[in-house]
């Protein structure tokens, strides 16, 4: 019998999501999904921005052909990040980066 590993990270609490939504409110969409959909280069771009900023917005283009709920889950999984919220055609992703300077990191409220 094969052992099932549970590598899932703990879910964000509603309090933490609310905090991240507030931080993301004024952010511009740094990554845009075009007609290529969730391509390797798009995933790499999102990964780079998450590394740099921890919290990003991703805009789904009109002709991207990506269904927002499924696309959000797939992109979050591919970048090992949290899908914080979907607003219209905009996804908010969060991934902590322990390599950032301590004063530049996003400090989540306690669970």
């Amino acid at each position: 019998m094969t052992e099932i590993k549970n590598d899932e990270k703990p879910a964000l609490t509603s309090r933490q999501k609310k905090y991240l939504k507030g931080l993301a409110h004024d952010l511009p969409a740094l990554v845009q999904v075009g007609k290529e959909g969730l391509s390797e280069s798009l995933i790499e771009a999102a990964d780079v921005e998450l590394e740099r900023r921890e919290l990003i917005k991703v805009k789904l283009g009109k002709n991207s052909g990506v269904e927002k709920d499924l696309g959000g889950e797939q992109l979050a999984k591919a970048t090992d990040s949290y899908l914080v919220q979907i607003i219209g055609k905009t996804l908010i992703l969060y991934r902590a980066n322990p390599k950032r300077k301590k004063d530049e990191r996003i400090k989540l409220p306690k669970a």
Side-chain angles (χ1 to χ4, degrees), residues 1-8:
M1 202 154 129
T2 55
E3 189 178 318
I4 298 172
K5 288 185 179 179
N6 189 359
D7 290 338
E8 286 190 30

Side-chain angles (χ1 to χ4, degrees), residues 9-111:
K9 50 194 178 289
L12 292 172
T13 65
S14 57
R15 186 174 174 203
Q16 291 169 330
K17 282 186 177 185
K18 186 176 180 181
Y19 176 73
L20 290 170
K21 288 174 194 177
L23 291 178
H25 186 268
D26 293 328
L27 293 178
L30 296 170
V31 179
Q32 302 231 345
V33 182
K35 62 184 174 204
E36 293 85 33
L38 298 178
S39 64
E40 246 345 279
S41 59
L42 179 110
I43 292 168
E44 284 175 28
D47 207 38
V48 166
E49 291 302 330
L50 280 165
E51 192 79 22
R52 198 177 291 158
R53 294 179 167 80
E54 294 186 320
L55 186 67
I56 64 168
K57 280 185 180 176
V58 178
K59 186 82 173 161
L60 299 175
K62 289 179 182 164
N63 59 353
S64 68
V66 176
E67 200 270 311
K68 62 184 180 180
D69 295 323
L70 183 61
E73 288 175 24
Q74 289 175 337
L75 188 56
K77 190 171 188 172
T79 58
D80 193 32
S81 62
Y82 290 101
L83 178 61
V84 177
Q85 185 180 31
I86 300 172
I87 310 168
K89 293 246 179 198
T90 304
L91 313 172
I92 299 173
L93 298 176
Y94 167 74
R95 182 179 70 202
N97 180 358
K99 294 177 187 164
R100 287 183 82 185
K101 293 178 188 168
K102 210 166 197 168
D103 59 328
E104 291 178 2
R105 287 187 220 151
I106 294 175
K107 181 137 174 52
L108 291 176
K110 296 280 184 243

